[in-house]
């Protein structure tokens, strides 16, 4: 963001500290959650896809919708789905109403994996994030971050 004179609006010390703390927490938390998924042979991306498919009607989503919901390019998602197909977690199915469209479908093995891993993942999220806050602090965090999420969704076109 710049002012009328094209001079950057530099962050104050307080703003810089808040920004860097956010970056630090984001990186460290995602790294830890990824480490906690490793014993199950999953990555954060794998788990996010399994969650999306497990919550979808008939445990299936159009690849384009899955790419949008996981913030991945269609190409990157295609490679990810190929790896997950090879592991037996998902399969692709043709879309009868659109010959070019494909669905990603959660297999029975993928569903069993999701059910087995979810309790461990929730415990990890609790240990490394949720349980470190009071109820009031969690509400304040949510209230603080909601405008940012809404702004970024609007920037992406409402996703």
């Amino acid at each position: 963001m710049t002012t009328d004179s094209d001079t950057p609006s530099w962050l104050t010390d307080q703003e810089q500290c808040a920004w860097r703390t956010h970056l630090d927490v984001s990186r460290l938390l995602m790294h830890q959650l990824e480490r906690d998924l490793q014993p199950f042979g999953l990555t954060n991306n794998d788990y996010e896809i399994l969650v999306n498919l497990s919550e979808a009607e008939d445990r299936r989503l159009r690849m384009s919708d899955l790419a949008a919901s996981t913030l991945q390019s269609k190409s990157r998602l295609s490679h990810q789905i190929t790896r997950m197909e090879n592991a037996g977690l998902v399969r692709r199915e043709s879309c009868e109403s659109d010959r070019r469209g494909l669905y990603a479908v959660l297999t029975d093995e993928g569903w069993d994996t999701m059910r087995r891993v979810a309790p461990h993942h929730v415990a990890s999220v609790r240990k490394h994030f949720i349980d470190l806050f009071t109820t009031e602090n969690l509400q304040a965090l949510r209230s603080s971050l909601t405008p940012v999420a809404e702004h970024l969704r609007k920037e992406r076109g409402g996703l």
Side-chain angles (χ1 to χ4, degrees):
M1 187 69 79
T2 59
T3 62
D4 292 336
S5 65
D6 286 335
T7 301
S9 179
W10 297 110
L11 300 179
T12 65
D13 288 345
Q14 182 180 12
E15 291 167 337
Q16 183 76 266
C17 183
W19 174 242
R20 289 190 177 182
T21 299
H22 163 73
L23 291 176
D24 201 29
V25 167
S26 295
R27 285 190 296 260
L28 288 166
L29 181 59
M30 296 314 292
H31 176 76
Q32 184 62 51
L33 295 176
E34 182 102 19
R35 284 186 61 193
D36 291 349
L37 287 171
Q38 284 177 350
F40 303 98
L42 298 175
T43 66
N44 283 327
N45 285 337
D46 295 333
Y47 189 79
E48 183 179 17
I49 289 168
L50 291 176
V51 167
N52 275 269
L53 293 175
S54 72
E55 293 174 347
E57 186 176 341
D58 298 324
R59 297 185 192 143
R60 63 191 292 141
L61 286 170
R62 287 182 67 101
M63 291 283 286
S64 56
D65 293 337
L66 186 56
S69 68
T70 60
L71 302 178
Q72 294 188 55
S73 69
K74 290 178 186 177
S75 173
R76 181 170 184 217
L77 178 65
S78 181
H79 290 293
Q80 181 78 29
I81 292 296
T82 297
R83 286 191 297 276
M84 293 178 76
E85 276 182 308
N86 291 338
L89 301 172
V90 299
R91 68 177 179 275
R92 292 177 221 234
E93 289 182 358
S94 298
C95 177
E96 292 182 18
S97 63
D98 177 3
R99 295 208 183 261
R100 294 183 314 163
L102 287 173
Y103 285 102
V105 181
L106 190 63
T107 63
D108 289 342
E109 184 176 343
W111 175 244
D112 290 343
T113 298
M114 184 68 207
R115 289 180 41 202
R116 187 177 77 254
V117 175
H120 297 279
H121 181 71
V122 169
S124 180
V125 169
R126 280 200 163 284
K127 177 181 179 182
H128 302 298
F129 188 75
I130 297 296
D131 290 347
L132 302 176
F133 294 97
T134 64
T135 302
E136 295 79 19
N137 286 347
L138 275 174
Q139 181 56 45
L141 180 65
R142 181 178 180 203
S143 295
S144 297
L145 293 178
T146 296
V148 177
E150 289 172 353
H151 165 78
L152 294 172
R153 280 191 192 95
K154 184 178 175 185
E155 288 289 312
R156 281 194 56 85
L159 298 175

